[in-house]
Amino acid sequence: ADLEERFYETRAVEPTPALPDRWPLAFSPDGQSLLLTHRTPRPWSLVMANELGASTVVGNDGEVYSAMGNARHNGLTPFRFESATTTLPGQIVYVRDIDAGETDAIGFAPFQREDAEYAVTYEPSVAHFSKRRGDLAMDCDVFVPTDYPGDMRLVTLRNLGRRHLSLRVAPFFDMALDEGANESLGKLKSETVGATLLFENPRNDFQRGTA
């Protein structure tokens, strides 16, 4: 009898009291782009992949997860979506203002700067992040090329003020080449070729991770 009562009950989504122009998301008039901010009721993610097996999941807070083939055992970095200030994302592009002594990041995570302006655009082939804090404007495009076994990031920094900015840019990747850091502990091989770092896990299909 208790089970029959549960089956009989129905649920419905109540309409939001906010007008559409106040929502933290909107589609472009042609429906090809989704405009977001970092503030959505739940994280919104864009999944991109190519026929070579490379895939990338991008969150609107700036979190990025890259994989090759089987994402469970062939992740480039750990899957840490909904990152908080106590948990770092698996991938970060740090930007440090040397004179001011402040460090920031392209996305909302992990610093969660309340005095910054954020905008995120999802398109079928690219995720675009735009952030402005003070005189510094940061843009980042994350995409998966059709003919390359991996993903790419194009970062653009602009000084919108009169003060000279001395910046240090440092990409961070918590290398896993597996489902998580614990699974890859003691299994990774690293090699330096010029200014490029190469990582390999012989036990899975992700032959080379580059940072």
Side-chain angles (χ1 to χ4, degrees), residues 35-162:
L35 311 178
L36 295 156
T37 69
H38 61 294
R39 298 194 179 281
T40 47
R42 291 184 177 181
W44 285 64
S45 299
L46 175 64
V47 179
M48 297 174 284
N50 63 22
E51 294 183 354
L52 299 180
S55 61
T56 300
V57 182
V58 181
N60 61 308
D61 63 348
E63 175 70 283
V64 180
Y65 174 74
S66 307
M68 183 68 182
N70 185 338
R72 180 176 180 182
H73 295 295
N74 294 280
L76 178 69
T77 55
F79 189 90
R80 292 176 181 160
F81 276 57
E82 299 185 58
S83 301
T85 53
T86 56
T87 304
L88 290 177
Q91 305 178 23
I92 312 172
V93 177
Y94 288 111
V95 179
R96 181 169 179 80
D97 187 328
I98 298 177
D99 296 329
E102 282 194 346
T103 302
D104 209 341
I106 297 295
F108 181 65
F111 295 103
Q112 303 184 8
R113 305 291 191 188
E114 295 293 342
D115 58 345
E117 299 177 5
Y118 299 89
V120 184
T121 304
Y122 286 169
E123 297 179 3
S125 59
V126 62
H128 177 75
F129 294 90
S130 179
K131 178 179 181 180
R132 177 173 179 178
R133 185 168 180 256
D135 294 332
L136 179 60
M138 298 182 286
D139 295 273
C140 180
D141 291 323
V142 182
F143 57 97
V144 178
T146 58
D147 56 352
Y148 179 78
D151 55 21
M152 294 186 178
R153 292 148 189 75
L154 177 62
V155 177
T156 303
L157 305 177
R158 293 175 293 149
N159 184 358
L160 304 181
R162 296 183 178 181

Side-chain angles (χ1 to χ4, degrees), residues 2 4-5 32 34 45 50 57 72 110 123 128 139 149 182 192 196 206 210:
D2 183 69
E4 290 179 357
E5 182 179 353
Q32 295 297 311
L34 177 62
S45 299
N50 63 22
V57 182
R72 180 176 180 182
E123 297 179 3
H128 177 75
D139 295 273
N182 291 334
T192 302
T196 302
F206 208 149
T210 304

